[in-house]
Every structure is written in C-alpha cells, then in structure tokens.
Amino acid sequence: MAAGDVTTAHPERVDCVLDAQYPYFYLSENTSLINPGLSTWTGMVTAARGKLQMQVPWTAERVHVVTEIHPGEPDDVIEAYDDVIEFGYSSATGLAAVLDWSQTLAGPVDLLPGDHRLRYHVREAVEPGAGSAVVAEALIQLWPAKLGEKEELRITGALGNFWHPGARLRSVWNGL
C-alpha cells in the first residue's frame, strides 16, 4: 500500500500504512504552535511548530499507523508494544492529520479542540513472506485530559533506548 492510502477512516479511528523511507511520520495541525505550554523536546516524539514528529525504528520499510480518539483514558495495551511514552497535547483546531515523512496526507484525524493526553506506542514487526520486510507498528491514542509532563511508560526496544536512555539507566540503578 502506498503512502496516503487510508484503509479505514472515521472520527474515532484512522488506520493507514506509510512508506518509511525516512524513520518518522507526523501528526500535524498546520498551526504555528501545537502546544504553547509544552517546550520543544526531542525523543521518540519531537514537538515543534504545529507538528509532532513521531520516530519509528530505522530498520522499518513501512509503518502501520493507527490513531484512536477516546472519550476517556483508553484501555492499557502498553505491554503489547516495545516503547510507549505519554504527554500533554493541546489541539488548537481539532483538525489534525497523519502525514508521511514527505508530509503527504495519509489520513485526517478529527478531535475536539482543547487539551488532551497523547500516548504513543511503537514496535517492530517482521511481515511474513518472501522479503520478510520490517514493518513498524505505531498506535497513537488521544483523549481529553489536563496537560501534563512527558512520561516514559515502557522503554524496552532499541528505538526507545536510543531516544530515552535514561529509562534503561534507571532500571539498572533500581536493580542494584
């Protein structure tokens, strides 16, 4: 499936497969500031000037992105993913979109304007078949909530340990 092909789209869930020529994609509102109360930071997600740049494993050839809008905190699926972070997200317009690395539209995301929590999950998977392509699977969950600090909920994969090495170091120190 090519970048921009949307397999399922409705207000609560957007499901798309993107080309991963470069190891990231965007969640964008095309506004000047996505969250004025959140300073720009880097890691698995970089927040800057109207876009969130979401990192995926650099070995991935494609990324399957599912974006879910929930009325309240969603069910916990953290254990099913290698790396999970959560942070406050303020929607200026309520009209966001998933864009591939080249900023081509992959799917619209409709949510209410205002403050949300965003939980970003990512894992690597090998697609069965002749080429055994590496596919990243990303899940973005959003729900209305007060803005809050970034939290590293699960960091076990190579991607998370590269971008969030403190999680690995904390677990080593806690084990002593």
Side-chain angles (χ1 to χ4, degrees):
M1 191 173 286
D5 289 350
V6 176
T7 56
T8 307
H10 57 84
E12 295 82 25
R13 182 181 169 99
V14 175
D15 189 336
C16 52
V17 177
L18 310 174
D19 171 43
Q21 183 172 344
Y22 293 96
Y24 55 85
F25 65 95
Y26 297 100
L27 180 67
S28 175
E29 287 199 40
N30 200 25
T31 59
S32 61
L33 273 179
I34 210 151
N35 184 349
L38 176 73
S39 60
T40 300
W41 47 268
T42 59
M44 287 175 19
V45 176
T46 301
R49 301 214 35 107
K51 287 187 178 86
L52 297 178
Q53 181 177 313
M54 318 294 251
Q55 298 293 330
V56 297
W58 44 89
T59 56
E61 297 171 35
R62 285 184 303 286
V63 57
H64 178 203
V65 179
V66 174
T67 305
E68 298 175 343
I69 310 303
H70 296 271
E73 186 169 349
D75 291 338
D76 181 347
V77 294
I78 294 169
E79 292 296 319
Y81 290 85
D82 297 330
D83 303 305
V84 182
I85 61 172
E86 183 177 304
F87 52 93
Y89 172 85
S90 185
S91 174
T93 65
L95 301 172
V98 174
L99 310 174
D100 73 2
W101 61 269
S102 69
Q103 299 188 37
T104 299
L105 176 66
V109 178
D110 295 325
L111 62 151
L112 293 173
D115 296 342
H116 297 79
R117 288 297 286 171
L118 187 152
R119 191 176 293 154
Y120 179 55
H121 309 68
V122 66
R123 66 182 169 207
E124 267 185 302
V126 177
E127 200 171 69
S132 297
V134 176
V135 176
E137 296 176 354
L139 171 63
I140 301 168
Q141 295 175 317
L142 288 143
W143 66 95
K146 292 183 180 181
L147 295 178
E149 296 297 317
K150 177 179 65 172
E151 297 179 52
E152 298 168 342
L153 302 178
R154 180 176 169 93
I155 304 296
T156 61
L159 177 71
N161 278 303
F162 177 81
W163 289 106
H164 301 274
R168 181 181 67 244
L169 297 174
R170 280 191 300 278
S171 66
V172 169
W173 282 105
N174 290 336
L176 294 178

